[in-house]
Amino acid sequence: MKIEIWSDICCPFCYIGKRKFEKALSQFEHRDKVEVEWYSFELDQGMKTESGKNIYDYLAERKGRSREWSEKMHEQVTAIAKEAGLNYNFDVAVVSGSFDAHRLIQYAKTKGKGDAAEESLFKAYFTDGMDISDLASLIKLAPEIGLDAMELSLILKSEIFTEEVREDEKRAARIGVNGVPFFVLDNKYAISGAQDPETFLEALRSSFAETVLTE
């Protein structure tokens, strides 16, 4: 049973969705038969790193709202993340593009480390305030993920895995993904957003039951 997940590192609900899905998967009776694969999705493909701009002003400008509105929104998201066991620290978040982080994930997937890369990058961005567009910072994550730092450095300083990221995004467009996180279960069920674990668990069971019946 294959679970495909489209996600962006700088999407706060993608990290929350990952935790909620993991909780559901831990309760799923056939979790040993589940394969999870992560796919690249950029919420803002043209996004440039703006180290001098905080995340509150960025969202306010993007949505055409006030700074006060943005702060309240981030407070709400922080509270939701805390309920999922995550520590969000938006005060130190760096407004940055995620393209090279996605190339790192694509490389990690070839080593069976896709999930580890997602987890490490999410924490680096939302908790530690890392600039995920900075190549040197990305390379420093290699040992934590289980990757070779020298090899990762060579990859990130080239154009390798660019096409893989773009192909994921093209496929997302073909199947109608316009927001993340987006989960596809065995090409049968699609779940959008950071749903409750119960919703994920019900979908896992239904999808697995249908797969068994058709075999």
Side-chain angles (χ1 to χ4, degrees):
M1 181 177 175
K2 185 171 183 179
I3 313 298
E4 300 169 299
I5 309 174
W6 274 265
S7 172
D8 194 3
I9 293 303
C10 56
C11 165
F13 288 102
C14 288
Y15 198 9
I16 294 168
K18 183 177 188 292
R19 275 295 180 275
K20 291 186 174 183
F21 174 75
E22 288 169 344
K23 183 175 181 180
L25 189 59
S26 71
Q27 299 171 24
F28 182 49
E29 300 82 353
H30 307 286
R31 57 185 173 274
D32 59 321
K33 295 181 174 64
V34 173
E35 174 193 354
V36 177
E37 184 168 359
W38 293 88
Y39 290 83
S40 299
F41 189 100
E42 294 170 274
L43 289 169
D44 185 353
Q45 287 193 18
M47 186 175 180
K48 302 296 182 183
T49 299
E50 299 184 62
S51 56
K53 179 178 292 185
N54 62 61
I55 198 72
Y56 307 114
D57 290 333
Y58 166 76
L59 184 65
E61 291 176 12
R62 186 178 181 189
K63 298 295 185 181
R65 304 293 294 270
S66 68
R67 162 76 182 238
E68 183 182 11
W69 171 86
S70 180
E71 289 178 351
K72 287 181 179 178
M73 287 295 294
H74 282 89
E75 285 176 7
Q76 292 173 10
V77 172
T78 299
I80 295 170
K82 188 175 182 179
E83 289 178 0
L86 301 172
N87 178 29
Y88 280 13
N89 189 8
F90 287 116
D91 287 344
V92 298
V94 178
V95 178
S96 51
S98 58
F99 177 70
D100 286 321
H102 282 296
R103 289 202 299 128
L104 184 160
I105 294 166
Q106 293 288 343
Y107 164 57
K109 284 167 61 175
T110 67
K111 304 295 184 180
K113 303 290 185 179
D115 191 81
E118 291 277 348
E119 183 67 29
S120 182
L121 284 161
F122 275 136
K123 180 180 179 298
Y125 182 75
F126 287 108
T127 302
D128 302 332
M130 193 188 91
D131 179 354
I132 58 171
S133 69
D134 179 66
L135 299 189
S137 296
L138 292 175
I139 293 165
K140 287 179 182 179
L141 293 178
E144 178 180 313
I145 298 170
L147 301 173
D148 181 88
M150 183 70 71
E151 190 170 325
L152 177 60
S153 176
L154 292 173
I155 288 169
L156 292 178
K157 292 174 183 177
S158 72
E159 297 299 315
I160 298 173
F161 292 112
T162 292
E163 186 57 35
E164 286 81 354
V165 173
R166 295 304 180 215
E167 185 54 42
D168 280 3
E169 293 173 334
K170 289 175 184 175
R171 187 178 169 213
R174 287 196 298 270
I175 66 176
V177 180
N178 51 30
V180 287
F182 193 86
F183 302 76
V184 177
L185 288 67
D186 250 4
N187 289 315
K188 297 183 181 71
Y189 291 86
I191 300 176
S192 180
Q195 302 295 330
D196 290 334
E198 294 75 18
T199 300
F200 285 122
L201 185 57
E202 181 180 354
L204 284 166
R205 287 171 173 163
S206 297
S207 181
F208 186 82
E210 290 187 19
T211 299
V212 171
L213 287 174
T214 56
E215 287 182 347

